[in-house]
Amino acid sequence: RSARTGGGEARAATLAGVVNLSYAAGPVAVGGSAYGGRADQRDRTAAGEPIRANVVIAEAHAQLAWRGLQARVLGVVGTLGDADKVNAKLGLPADESLGSRVTGAYGEIAYDVLSLLAPGGESVLSPFLRVEKYDLNARVPAGAVRDPALDVSVVTAGFTYRPIPTVVVKADWQRRDSAADAPATDQLNFGAGFAF
């Protein structure tokens, strides 16, 4: 959080870019994108060495929407160059350091049961299951300590109900577990939304 600035104070000394490719064939869509840029804005360490905080974030995804079935998967990896120098510049202690690599993935499957019970209607009732895994310290620079609490697995099960296409009500149960020696946590989530 301390690495960011307000929009009016943002420095723009280096360029960044994004590439995105996608393809759809019938009920299947696949794609991927990659971002590359430098986060250091030509900053230097206290000793005057240049910091080359090259940031690369790449993801690949696929989705299937067939009749009432919806399935999707996504995987992502991100890297931070000179993470050791960035951590030193920000004054972060070894056990709170930014990782030099982060990874994550999720898979989700849902089925609209109303497509069987009341075909042709605009209402949707979709029970779903989502499994996620992410690690914000997948790799850490020399001198940093890997935080097992940032290696997280999440299982979410619930339902989405849309009485009409612009209104949604959601409820789910979520279990979150980390590689740290801490018990898993469970929570219930409820939400509603309206698109206008």
Side-chain angles (χ1 to χ4, degrees):
R1 183 172 176 84
S2 59
R4 64 183 190 160
T5 59
E9 302 166 341
R11 294 167 64 190
T14 59
L15 296 175
V18 175
V19 173
N20 181 310
L21 298 171
S22 59
Y23 177 76
V28 177
V30 296
S33 58
Y35 163 88
R38 282 179 54 185
D40 58 84
Q41 302 302 322
R42 297 191 180 135
D43 210 346
R44 294 185 172 271
T45 65
E49 297 177 69
I51 300 173
R52 301 207 185 285
N54 294 312
V55 174
V56 175
I57 303 171
E59 66 83 22
H61 61 271
Q63 181 171 325
L64 168 70
W66 182 67
R67 299 188 181 174
L69 178 67
Q70 294 252 346
R72 60 180 62 130
V73 294
L74 178 137
V76 65
V77 63
T79 60
L80 173 62
D82 277 353
D84 54 342
K85 293 179 182 177
V86 173
N87 287 324
K89 181 73 177 180
L90 296 174
L92 298 176
D95 60 346
E96 294 179 19
S97 296
L98 298 174
S100 54
R101 174 175 287 181
V102 298
T103 59
Y106 81 89
E108 180 179 285
I109 189 163
Y111 189 79
D112 176 17
V113 295
L114 294 182
S115 67
L116 289 176
L117 302 174
E122 64 178 11
S123 296
V124 172
L125 177 60
S126 297
F128 70 90
L129 175 67
R130 181 171 56 248
V131 178
E132 306 169 62
K133 172 87 171 134
Y134 61 89
D135 188 350
L136 301 181
N137 271 176
R139 185 179 298 158
V140 295
V145 177
R146 191 173 185 284
D147 185 353
L150 299 178
D151 184 357
V152 179
S153 298
V154 183
V155 175
T156 307
F159 72 87
T160 300
Y161 176 58
R162 287 192 178 109
I164 58 175
T166 56
V167 174
V168 64
V169 177
K170 291 184 158 193
D172 64 60
W173 161 84
Q174 191 171 73
R175 171 161 277 220
R176 185 178 303 268
D177 194 13
S178 77
D181 291 331
T185 59
D186 296 305
Q187 72 181 41
L188 291 173
N189 302 302
F190 300 95
F194 174 68
F196 56 91

